[in-house]
Amino acid sequence: MNAILHFSNIKLLLCGTLLLLVVESVQAQMERKRSLDKLPDPELFLSTSLVSAQTVSIVPKGEIQSAISHSFGHIRSGWGDLFGLDNNASVHLGLDVGIAENLSLGIGRTSVDDVFDMRLKWIPFRQNSSNSRPLSVGLYLNTALETLEERRFDYSFTERLSYHSSILIARQFSSKITLQISPSVTHFNTLIAQNKIPLQHTIFSALFLGRLKLNERNSLSFETVPILSDSEAIHHWAFSYEIETGGHVFQLFLQSGYLFTEQYIIRQTVDSFWNGDIRLGFAIHRVFQVKKRS
Amino acid sequence: MRAQKIIKSQVKWYLIQYIVFIYLAIPLHGQNYYAENGTARFTSSVPFYEFTGTSNQLTGLINITENSVDFYLDLETLDSGIKKRDKDMRLTLETKKFPFAEFYGNLLDQVDLTETKPQKIRTSGNFSIHGISQEMEVSGEITIEQNILHLTANWEIRLDDFEIIPPSLLIVKVDQIQKISIDIRLEKQ
């Protein structure tokens, strides 16, 4: 009897010890806890500009973005011009720096009319994941200087300037769709009567932008510029397919206006997308780190 | 009969004491060193260029008595200095689905807590990332500074071992070799 008691006790002892060791070894691995307690804010657009129009996306502080945009000739020119690829219509080079979390400065140059532009973008309100801020709202200012030598007239520096300002208002309505409206005022100090464009120094317009997110790295987007102060003006339209990889965003687009700076798109678009005046173009945006984040 | 009952109840009492003693004794003898602000670096290469994702939120626990090591990192805290690249890194590592990189294993060498000079140590365990776990041996260096155990270690993994498809840009591809380094100062608990 004692032997049985002794044997069952040893079994109990061994089982108990084993159980404790198992429990202890399980406890030795820590519980995994997430370090970030909130979701990242939604990414409304893949890039800081679609084809020509600025989005509410901004170059983050400490980063610099270079962009090359290229537009070809009319697709309808057919095989003779390889559907416009033989004709280099316009090239825009741009450089933007994030100088604060919600403020960026940039410079650029468009090959047509040798236009240099300086721009400032300020996005104080950004839509967040908790929806306590349902919209992204910001301000965009652009000043352009036309440096092409004009043989007919002797322009002063001021006469060569043009301005564009927009209020950028955007919202991501679902994880897939983003829309933006940018009420804008554009002003040219000097105008030359050409291409039947009316001589209107100040133009009121509203840029509409949209993005359909196909997946995390691919999007379809559009932009158009209805001109409010001139009902007969031809509106610029562009549709873009965007691919993001690493620090790059590639855009392949079809567009009517091809001058890449907002005021020139608004003032000097003479091609009608819906009448078939369509050009192929592409852009490459590349982001670099200039300063380590604190 | 009465004597048997006394013996039986005494045995049970000793058993309870033994179990309580063991349960209390294990944690008492365990020397835990813990931190949750260690640095982890993941370095990737593309031709002519290298970039590093850094996080200062590496959590680690070393139990000297049990010779166990346990480290984990929330991969969404990795910062490469470019937000678009951070996003790309999160997509590549599928951090929504697999948020942690972790290493759990044992010290193969005894740590001398009285030695103040750096000590080479080897660990063996499972490194997990992207939902795949691989057994590996990692070497590092430990320096004892009062109640601090300062650990540094470097090792490499192959991305395809963990079914991670590296991002590519046309013909330029991120190298399969990923360098990992950790630097953590664990405090005695």
Side-chain angles (χ1 to χ4, degrees), chain B:
Chain B
M1 194 67 178
R2 184 179 153 80
Q4 262 185 356
K5 271 187 182 172
I6 290 167
I7 290 166
K8 201 173 173 181
S9 66
Q10 273 184 342
V11 168
K12 273 188 181 167
W13 174 239
Y14 285 130
L15 261 174
I16 290 165
Q17 278 188 321
Y18 172 79
I19 289 167
V20 170
F21 172 74
I22 286 184
Y23 193 77
L24 290 176
I26 289 172
L28 276 175
H29 281 92
Q31 281 189 296
N32 286 335
Y33 288 82
Y34 176 78
E36 49 189 40
N37 57 355
T39 303
R41 292 187 180 87
F42 287 67
T43 303
S44 299
S45 307
V46 288
F48 313 113
Y49 185 62
E50 229 178 42
F51 60 91
T52 302
T54 305
S55 169
N56 293 318
Q57 296 189 51
L58 173 69
T59 301
L61 176 72
I62 294 183
N63 187 311
I64 299 292
T65 315
E66 289 182 5
N67 279 336
S68 69
V69 291
D70 187 10
F71 289 91
Y72 73 89
L73 177 75
D74 187 335
L75 292 165
E76 296 224 350
T77 62
L78 283 173
D79 181 350
S80 72
I82 294 177
K83 286 192 175 172
K84 282 204 174 291
R85 198 163 55 198
D86 296 346
K87 178 191 161 190
D88 207 47
M89 203 151 53
R90 290 197 293 270
L91 290 173
T92 302
L93 297 171
E94 294 186 88
T95 55
K96 275 186 186 165
K97 214 165 151 188
F98 311 111
F100 299 111
E102 42 193 311
F103 183 81
Y104 180 64
N106 295 306
L107 288 167
L108 297 177
D109 302 311
Q110 200 68 38
V111 177
D112 182 355
L113 295 173
T114 60
E115 176 61 69
T116 54
K117 286 180 185 165
Q119 304 170 51
K120 298 273 181 205
I121 54 132
R122 291 169 303 133
T123 61
S124 171
N126 284 304
F127 178 74
S128 308
I129 192 168
H130 196 237
I132 307 285
S133 192
Q134 294 273 344
E135 214 174 297
M136 58 175 64
E137 203 173 284
V138 176
S139 297
E141 198 172 85
I142 277 180
T143 310
I144 308 293
E145 303 162 7
Q146 293 186 326
N147 286 330
I148 303 282
L149 196 151
H150 182 194
L151 169 73
T152 56
N154 303 287
W155 70 99
E156 290 182 352
I157 59 167
R158 275 192 66 86
L159 294 178
D160 51 7
D161 287 345
F162 295 88
E163 296 177 13
I164 297 167
I165 301 164
S168 60
L169 177 60
L170 302 175
I171 53 163
V172 179
K173 280 190 177 173
V174 172
D175 197 85
Q176 280 288 344
I177 301 294
Q178 177 105 51
K179 296 173 193 164
I180 302 172
S181 71
I182 60 167
D183 187 329
I184 185 165
R185 294 169 66 81
L186 303 122
E187 279 184 55
K188 192 175 180 181
Q189 294 286 287

Side-chain angles (χ1 to χ4, degrees), chain A residues 10-20:
Chain A
I10 287 171
K11 271 208 302 189
L12 189 62
L13 198 71
L14 285 171
C15 288
T17 308
L18 193 65
L19 182 71
L20 280 167

Side-chain angles (χ1 to χ4, degrees), chain A residues 23 25 31 39 41 45 61 86 110 113 133 135 143 160 175 202 209 252 276 281:
Chain A
V23 167
S25 70
E31 183 194 346
L39 290 169
D41 292 339
F45 292 95
K61 185 185 176 186
D86 283 350
T110 310
D113 292 341
R133 285 197 304 270
L135 295 170
T143 301
R160 289 177 176 276
S175 61
T202 304
L209 289 75
L252 190 66

Side-chain angles (χ1 to χ4, degrees), chain A residues 145-270:
Chain A
L145 174 72
E146 202 172 305
T147 62
L148 184 72
E149 195 179 329
E150 171 58 68
R151 294 183 182 190
R152 293 170 291 175
F153 313 105
D154 185 18
Y155 288 128
S156 68
F157 178 81
T158 315
E159 284 170 334
R160 289 177 176 276
L161 292 174
S162 61
Y163 312 92
H164 176 83
S165 53
S166 290
I167 295 169
L168 314 175
I169 305 162
R171 172 164 170 76
Q172 193 173 71
F173 288 91
S174 67
S175 61
K176 300 252 181 228
I177 295 170
T178 303
L179 292 174
Q180 179 181 314
I181 181 168
S182 310
S184 304
V185 183
T186 300
H187 181 86
F188 278 80
N189 282 352
T190 307
L191 295 174
I192 301 172
Q194 59 181 349
N195 295 332
K196 296 178 186 172
I197 298 171
L199 292 173
Q200 197 173 17
H201 284 269
T202 304
I203 303 165
F204 295 94
S205 61
L207 290 90
F208 285 99
L209 289 75
R211 175 194 174 206
L212 173 66
K213 181 176 163 183
L214 301 175
N215 55 45
E216 292 294 343
R217 288 192 170 103
N218 296 273
S219 290
L220 287 174
S221 53
F222 79 92
E223 66 179 34
T224 184
V225 194
I227 295 166
L228 307 175
S229 53
D230 181 4
S231 57
E232 290 183 5
I234 295 168
H235 303 164
H236 158 75
W237 275 91
F239 294 89
S240 173
Y241 175 61
E242 299 173 299
I243 307 160
E244 184 185 56
T245 176
H248 298 79
V249 176
F250 296 94
Q251 295 170 320
L252 190 66
F253 43 77
L254 297 171
Q255 58 180 164
S256 52
Y258 61 97
L259 294 170
F260 293 118
T261 317
E262 287 86 347
Q263 51 264 56
Y264 284 85
I265 284 289
I266 290 167
R267 173 76 179 81
Q268 292 188 9
T269 293
V270 290

